[in-house]
Amino acid sequence: MTPFATRGLYAITDGPRDDLLDVVTQALAGGARLLQYRDKTTDHARRHAEAGALQRLCRSCGAVLIVNDDVALAQAIHADGVHLGREDGELAAARAALGSQAIIGVSCYDSIDRARAAVAAGADYIAFGAFFPSPTKPHAPRATPELLRQSATFGVPRVAIGGITPDNAPSLVSAGADFLAVISAVFRAPDVRAAAQRFAHFYPSDRDPR
């Protein structure tokens, strides 16, 4: 299993695209430390093939692959872990399926109590958001940077997500975000590698030397 980076850019894919492997390669070259495979479609054969290809790519680049929502898919392709939302099953069941070394992240939205409970249940990281208007989830609960500060003592990395751009990211990094989770500002950018580099620069000691 690839070691879990302590902070950096957490790039998240969003649905099927013909150039998926190419843009992910660019994001990793730009310094993304974690990659989440997020695809809400029901094309199981394609999703399995894509996730497997991304796992091999991430392993070759020293990055971590997390599968969104789908514990069975994460288990089938030997992903590094899974990310669970409010309706994606219990953390304990995911841990039993994936093993003690798996990285399990939990969406905590705008709730410090949900974050505290997730950590107590064994979450490896907690994610708050959306911090800004998000084209991916326009109706997501709105989080505040204070959540990042309040969870500083929980002992696990804190992920910020939701409408993050290079312009608004500094306030989240200053509040304690260990990872910036980004979809649109990376994968919808005209130059994916350059976009990833702009976010990676917020964590200079962890920048990919490539």
Side-chain angles (χ1 to χ4, degrees):
M1 175 172 291
T2 304
F4 185 24
T6 57
R7 59 183 195 157
L9 170 62
Y10 187 169
I12 302 178
T13 69
D14 187 27
R17 56 188 295 174
D18 293 337
D19 61 347
L20 179 64
L21 288 179
D22 179 57
V23 294
V24 168
T25 298
Q26 293 178 46
L28 296 176
R33 306 302 301 275
L34 273 69
L35 178 78
Q36 185 181 127
Y37 177 62
R38 181 180 187 273
D39 186 321
K40 299 291 190 178
T41 69
T42 57
D43 188 339
H44 300 296
R46 179 184 52 75
R47 292 175 68 247
H48 186 282
E50 287 182 349
L54 291 176
Q55 175 69 338
R56 292 187 292 274
L57 176 60
C58 286
R59 287 273 170 86
S60 71
C61 294
V64 165
L65 178 69
I66 305 294
V67 172
N68 177 266
D69 295 354
D70 194 333
V71 174
L73 178 58
Q75 184 178 33
I77 61 129
H78 305 290
D80 296 297
V82 70
H83 183 89
L84 303 175
R86 185 177 281 124
E87 299 175 359
D88 297 328
E90 295 297 322
L91 192 154
R95 180 67 70 197
L98 299 178
S100 61
Q101 299 302 308
I103 299 165
I104 301 179
V106 175
S107 291
C108 301
Y109 310 102
D110 59 348
S111 173
I112 194 70
D113 290 336
R114 179 174 169 83
R116 185 179 292 106
V119 173
D124 295 289
Y125 71 80
I126 49 178
F128 294 107
F131 284 94
F132 306 102
S134 168
T136 304
K137 290 190 174 182
H139 304 296
R142 189 61 55 84
T144 67
E146 186 59 28
L147 289 165
L148 296 168
R149 299 186 184 95
Q150 290 176 355
S151 55
T153 61
F154 287 3
V156 299
R158 293 154 291 162
V159 176
I161 191 170
I164 300 174
T165 69
D167 292 330
N168 61 34
S171 64
L172 302 177
V173 176
S174 296
D178 299 295
F179 288 96
L180 298 173
V182 182
I183 299 175
S184 300
V186 169
F187 288 117
R188 296 183 191 175
D191 186 333
V192 172
R193 178 171 180 165
Q197 287 174 329
R198 285 193 287 274
F199 287 102
H201 275 260
F202 291 112
Y203 301 95
S205 63
D206 294 296
R207 269 167 47 192
D208 190 320
R210 293 173 293 175

